[in-house]
Amino acid sequence: MEISKVTEVFFSPTYSTERIVRLIGEAWEETHQEIDLSRIPKEGEVHEFGAQDLVIFGVPSYGGRVPAPAAERFRNLKGQKTPIILLTAFGNRDYDDTLLEMKDLAEEQGFVPAAAVAAAAEHSIMRQYAEGRPDSRDKSELTDFAVKIREKIEQTEDTERVSELSVKGNRPYREYNGVPMKPSAGKQCKKCGLCARLCPAGAIPAEHPEETVKKMCISCMRCIAVCPEHARSISRPMLLAASMKLKKECSERKRNELII
Ligand SMILES: Cc1cc2nc3c(=O)[nH]c(=O)nc-3n(C[C@H](O)[C@H](O)[C@H](O)COP(=O)(O)O)c2cc1C
């Protein structure tokens, strides 16, 4: 298949998924564009793709699932037998049904999954898990994955001939009801409003950026990552309790997976 444009599509509250999607995208020298699903879309926003496009779609795994706003916003993308690479970043626990849910979503929207990647990345809540990943070893492995994917796509005559991608997971997908840790602002908050502008869920009121609308918050940690005053945080006792609970499952280095 001849690819003329590569589009990097990502939902990436704390930016590691975005970085990994870009790293994979570096294997193509063609024109690039990006669609940031962490942004609240404009009314009626639709993006259409053809058979000469390649889409690289990345999301973090939340509770082993695609984050709900990412799934909803991805539905604004329409492919026409467009090849797509599915990528999930996971915080050293597991990605469970994330790639299967991405594959189903992609196919429903007219894309043809050509490859999938699960990449271990620093846990955005309990940052001691997979701390510092992707590291240099991961980066060279992911770069090699990207070359293999490019070769597969180049060698395939057209998307009709891409064989069914087999990713792990179950249907119905795992149930995910969110996590109870919702960031709040401390005394250092200068009400600059940056967090409110960048919150992927619209859970921080622009007029009162020191507040969080708890029922809208998806615990993605974007506000903590972007606050220039380091004024936002989650409850320490809750963080410690969650860390203890996941210690056994998350401590060992998990490998990156390439499915092709
Ligand atoms: C609400 C929430 C739920 C998460 N659930 C999981 C999980 O089930 N398994 C896992 O390995 N990592 C989990 N993580 C960690 C993220 O998948 C991981 O840190 C990812 O790299 C974050 O991507 P980002 O930097 O693009 O936001 C979760 C993180 C958050 C914020």
Side-chain angles (χ1 to χ4, degrees):
M1 283 181 288
E2 224 176 276
I3 299 298
S4 56
K5 193 172 83 226
V6 177
T7 304
E8 281 128 3
V9 179
F10 45 82
F11 179 82
S12 185
T14 66
Y15 306 101
S16 47
T17 311
E18 176 179 339
R19 280 197 287 270
I20 302 168
V21 165
R22 289 187 195 282
L23 188 69
I24 297 290
E26 280 173 15
W28 284 266
E29 284 168 5
E30 288 74 10
T31 318
H32 285 244
Q33 68 167 24
E34 64 174 52
I35 298 173
D36 183 359
L37 302 180
S38 323
R39 254 191 325 98
I40 296 171
K42 298 187 191 87
E43 185 75 30
E45 187 174 320
V46 178
H47 302 273
E48 292 182 350
F49 300 91
Q52 294 216 315
D53 283 300
L54 171 69
V55 171
I56 308 174
F57 173 36
V59 302
S61 178
Y62 282 5
R65 298 282 309 274
V66 175
E72 193 187 312
R73 292 168 197 174
F74 183 79
R75 292 205 165 85
N76 295 336
L77 273 62
K78 311 252 182 276
Q80 256 195 343
K81 300 197 177 107
T82 309
I84 190 167
I85 301 167
L86 309 172
L87 184 150
T88 187
F90 69 103
N92 216 46
R93 189 190 65 75
D94 202 325
Y95 63 90
D96 304 296
D97 301 334
T98 316
L99 287 178
L100 182 65
E101 190 178 358
M102 293 178 86
K103 178 173 175 267
D104 290 345
L105 258 171
E107 288 173 345
E108 270 166 40
Q109 295 304 114
F111 294 90
V112 180
V117 177
E122 185 166 294
H123 200 295
S124 45
I125 305 179
M126 293 156 273
R127 296 177 56 191
Q128 71 275 29
Y129 300 133
E131 190 178 2
R133 293 186 74 184
D135 53 21
S136 53
R137 188 169 132 197
D138 292 316
K139 284 182 191 151
S140 79
E141 193 174 24
L142 292 162
T143 305
D144 290 349
F145 283 0
V147 172
K148 288 202 181 99
I149 300 171
R150 196 193 64 212
E151 285 168 358
K152 174 184 172 178
I153 292 174
E154 277 171 4
Q155 284 158 14
T156 310
E157 266 171 50
D158 68 77
T159 45
E160 306 265 0
R161 290 176 188 246
V162 175
S163 51
E164 170 99 20
L165 200 67
S166 170
V167 297
K168 75 163 185 176
N170 296 297
R171 298 186 196 92
Y173 314 125
R174 232 168 169 260
E175 214 176 295
Y176 175 63
N177 297 313
V179 297
M181 288 165 280
K182 314 286 181 191
S184 59
K187 289 195 287 288
Q188 308 97 302
C189 173
K190 297 216 167 98
K191 303 187 179 41
C192 70
L194 184 67
C195 58
R197 285 197 295 282
L198 297 180
C199 173
I204 304 175
E207 303 298 312
H208 288 286
E210 73 284 9
E211 292 174 7
T212 307
V213 183
K214 292 216 167 92
K215 63 174 195 297
M216 291 171 80
C217 174
I218 56 166
S219 306
C220 72
M221 309 293 136
R222 163 69 64 90
C223 56
I224 296 180
V226 300
C227 177
E229 305 300 328
H230 307 290
R232 296 184 71 92
S233 60
I234 48 177
S235 142
R236 272 202 76 73
M238 268 196 186
L239 185 59
L240 279 173
S243 296
M244 290 290 283
K245 206 170 139 200
L246 289 180
K247 191 167 178 188
K248 200 158 168 244
E249 227 179 332
C250 291
S251 297
E252 201 181 293
R253 184 181 175 101
K254 301 277 160 70
R255 59 186 189 87
N256 303 308
E257 289 175 34
L258 167 66
I259 301 132
I260 201 162

